[in-house]
Amino acid sequence: MSRKLIFRVMGSMLLVEALAMVPALIIALVYRDGDARAMAASIGLLVLVGAPMYLLCRKSGQQATLRAREGFLIVALSWLLLSVFGALPFVFSGLIPNFVSAFFESVSGFTTTGATVITNFENLPHGVTFWRSFTHWIGGMGVLVLTLALLPRMSGRSSHLVRAESPGPTLSKIVPKMGDTAKILYLIYTALTALEFIILMIAGMNAYDAAIHALGTAGTGGFSNKGASVGAFNSPVIEAIITVFMVLFGINFVMYYKLLTCSWKDVTGSEELRWFLIIFATVTAFITVMLIPTYGHPLIALRYASFQVASVISTTGYATADFNLWPIATRMLILLIMFIGSCAGSTAGGMKVCRIGMLCKQGLREVRHVFQPMKVQVVRYEGKGVDEAVLRQVAVFAFVYVALIFIGGFAVSLEGRFDVETNLTAALTCVSNVGPGLGAVGPVENFAGYGPFAKLVLCFLMLAGRLELFPILALFHPAIWRK
């Protein structure tokens, strides 16, 4: 294991994080809310720690080869370090004085979960609040993907970093060089974010609110500067715009590259995209019908149903209504899509539609095998036969995913503060990186009621969910630490 290579990459990541805080510092200086010093101090500490790590290990790190083990370790440690330093503006500004709570907020931001411990949204400092939402944008596509885009000269196979950080069972390289792939993905990501920002301003939002909500939608995180989230604007037009973009950001970004390169057949023939849109439309239709008695008009029911379904299936977490008060059947559907999530290669969380599809096809194959034991049956997905090793990985991932939800739910219940529904859905929403759950952590509630132990458990679940479980779990395996 090359420790100097690990320190070099982590130092680069801290410098990129310092650069990412500069827009928040500028906003703090413009609005003069008293949080400029907090942002400046955080940037100073990041440079003070990151620069020596990068410079002292630069030459040695270039000679080392990046292997899978280093890739997993770098990703896990980088995200932990990223979240620790990302919490500093909250602490230094006094917005969240308790470090464990600030760390929870930082982890929630970078993992694009959107769970919050903030209870008072009145008069929030503009700079730190912008940083809070900007963590979504950075974490959505991946901070190490961003680091590769800005600092692509890294020896060895940098794909190990992207594979460990990117959502989905397989890695999609759209061009041969991973650095170039990272640049293309971030250009598409930035363009879509800018487009939503402009449209939201046209719809009536001011520039600051539009930026906050565009960043939250792009990263599918859902942090808002309003206590009532998007519902505070009470605008069907704004809700419709954000609904559309939540769905767009739940789609694999490779599809957008294929559209730009006129590979229409690859887009229209995508099995995952087709099932994602079918699930979204079907669940929206069912919930709309169930909500007509509640809201009294089909269009009003459709307005609230489509927004919440898009918010949950894309794991964004914005809210315009309290679905805790909806009929039980609608809440069951919301829990189902919370578990499924969106497409691989998007900024969304959850199990991913492709994994659910593969698991269903595996199940059907086993049923057919009972009646035709001698027949060789291949699981096909996206028109191709799926390798048995990938199918095993998907099955193991599903088992660990479910196990983490129940173990996490049990762990937070040890504090004895909330009921089973709250604790179990808190674990589910953190592993799936959704944000709101049910009960005391519903869409109009927050996670402030949990104690330090439960918050740290939930932080672990959020990081595990964002990094597709294994990079974080690998930290507990002794072999990864051996020289």
Side-chain angles (χ1 to χ4, degrees):
M1 179 172 64
S2 174
R3 292 177 181 174
K4 289 186 176 180
L5 173 61
I6 293 172
F7 274 93
R8 177 181 172 240
V9 178
M10 290 173 64
S12 302
M13 183 273 300
L14 291 179
L15 293 175
V16 170
E17 185 176 16
L19 182 64
M21 284 189 182
V22 171
L25 173 60
I26 294 171
I27 289 173
L29 291 170
V30 170
Y31 282 95
R32 299 181 180 180
D33 292 331
D35 55 342
R37 288 184 179 180
M39 294 307 308
S42 301
I43 292 171
L45 276 174
L46 279 164
V47 174
L48 193 64
V49 176
M53 289 174 66
Y54 175 73
L55 294 173
L56 293 175
C57 303
R58 181 174 54 180
K59 291 183 180 179
S60 300
Q62 286 176 342
Q63 298 170 358
T65 300
L66 181 64
R67 296 169 296 183
R69 184 170 61 159
E70 279 89 352
F72 271 55
L73 190 58
I74 286 170
V75 168
L77 293 179
S78 292
W79 276 75
L80 283 170
L81 207 58
L82 181 82
S83 301
V84 168
F85 280 91
L88 296 181
F90 303 131
V91 177
F92 291 163
S93 66
L95 179 62
I96 310 174
N98 180 275
F99 185 79
V100 172
S101 295
F103 179 69
F104 178 94
E105 197 79 9
S106 178
V107 171
S108 180
F110 282 115
T111 59
T112 72
T113 303
T116 185
V117 295
I118 296 176
T119 56
N120 184 11
F121 284 83
E122 299 300 322
N123 302 316
L124 293 176
H126 286 78
V128 173
T129 303
F130 182 85
W131 167 246
R132 178 174 174 259
S133 290
F134 198 54
T135 56
H136 282 333
W137 196 83
I138 300 168
M141 188 63 71
V143 68
L144 286 163
V145 175
L146 177 59
T147 303
L148 284 173
L150 297 177
L151 304 167
R153 293 182 181 178
M154 183 183 299
S155 62
R157 300 178 61 192
S158 56
S159 60
H160 287 310
L161 289 179
V162 183
R163 182 178 289 109
E165 190 181 50
S166 299
T170 57
L171 175 64
S172 299
K173 286 176 66 176
I174 55 181
V175 291
K177 291 185 178 180
M178 187 51 67
D180 293 337
T181 296
K183 288 177 183 176
I184 292 169
L185 290 175
Y186 257 99
L187 282 172
I188 296 171
Y189 188 41
T190 303
L192 281 173
T193 307
L195 179 62
E196 183 184 2
F197 169 73
I198 293 168
I199 295 174
L200 285 175
M201 285 188 65
I202 295 171
M205 275 190 180
N206 62 50
Y208 183 79
D209 288 343
I212 292 292
H213 290 86
L215 292 171
T217 307
T220 59
F223 276 156
S224 175
N225 58 332
K226 307 290 183 182
S229 189
V230 178
F233 298 98
N234 194 27
S235 169
V237 175
I238 288 174
E239 291 168 22
I241 293 166
I242 293 177
T243 298
V244 170
F245 276 95
M246 285 190 292
V247 173
L248 290 177
F249 282 107
I251 295 171
N252 192 331
F253 277 76
V254 174
M255 294 295 108
Y256 297 121
Y257 178 77
K258 291 182 181 297
L259 281 176
L260 292 172
T261 55
C262 298
S263 302
W264 306 104
K265 288 185 179 180
D266 292 335
V267 178
T268 56
S270 172
E271 189 173 349
E272 183 181 37
L273 176 59
R274 183 166 62 251
W275 278 109
F276 169 63
L277 296 177
I278 288 173
I279 292 169
F280 168 71
T282 304
V283 175
T284 298
F286 270 107
I287 292 182
T288 298
V289 171
M290 293 178 198
L291 290 181
I292 290 175
T294 302
Y295 291 105
H297 195 283
L299 290 180
I300 298 175
L302 176 63
R303 169 187 170 184
Y304 290 107
S306 60
F307 186 93
Q308 290 307 146
V309 171
S311 178
V312 173
I313 199 170
S314 68
T315 69
T316 304
Y318 281 140
T320 55
D322 184 3
F323 53 71
N324 257 331
L325 305 177
W326 288 1
I328 294 175
T330 63
R331 283 179 278 164
M332 289 299 296
L333 284 173
I334 285 171
L335 286 178
L336 177 64
I337 59 174
M338 192 182 292
F339 181 81
I340 295 172
S342 294
C343 300
S346 68
T347 57
M351 271 278 291
K352 305 294 183 301
V353 173
C354 62
R355 286 197 182 96
I356 298 296
M358 290 180 194
L359 285 170
C360 290
K361 290 189 176 186
Q362 275 184 276
L364 289 172
R365 182 178 69 170
E366 293 305 312
V367 171
R368 289 196 298 267
H369 184 72
V370 173
F371 302 101
Q372 298 174 307
M374 304 300 293
K375 184 178 179 181
V376 177
Q377 303 183 52
V378 178
V379 173
R380 302 187 67 82
Y381 196 79
E382 300 288 5
K384 301 176 183 178
V386 182
D387 191 89
E388 290 298 321
V390 174
L391 293 176
R392 284 195 299 271
Q393 290 170 9
V394 169
V396 171
F397 182 93
F399 171 78
V400 176
Y401 198 92
V402 174
L404 271 180
I405 292 170
F406 282 98
I407 293 170
F410 168 75
V412 297
S413 70
L414 293 174
E415 287 190 340
R417 300 191 181 208
F418 298 110
D419 57 21
V420 173
E421 180 185 56
T422 297
N423 292 325
L424 200 57
T425 58
L428 169 59
T429 196
C430 285
V431 173
S432 294
N433 301 138
V434 178
L438 297 177
V441 292
V444 297
E445 306 293 340
N446 56 65
F447 286 71
Y450 279 112
F453 171 75
K455 285 174 184 172
L456 290 174
V457 170
L458 295 173
C459 284
F460 172 80
L461 295 179
M462 287 188 281
L463 286 166
R466 172 59 185 85
L467 298 179
E468 303 279 89
L469 308 183
F470 299 112
I472 286 293
L473 295 178
L475 291 178
F476 299 95
H477 197 291
I480 202 169
W481 298 100
R482 289 174 191 153
K483 223 174 176 182

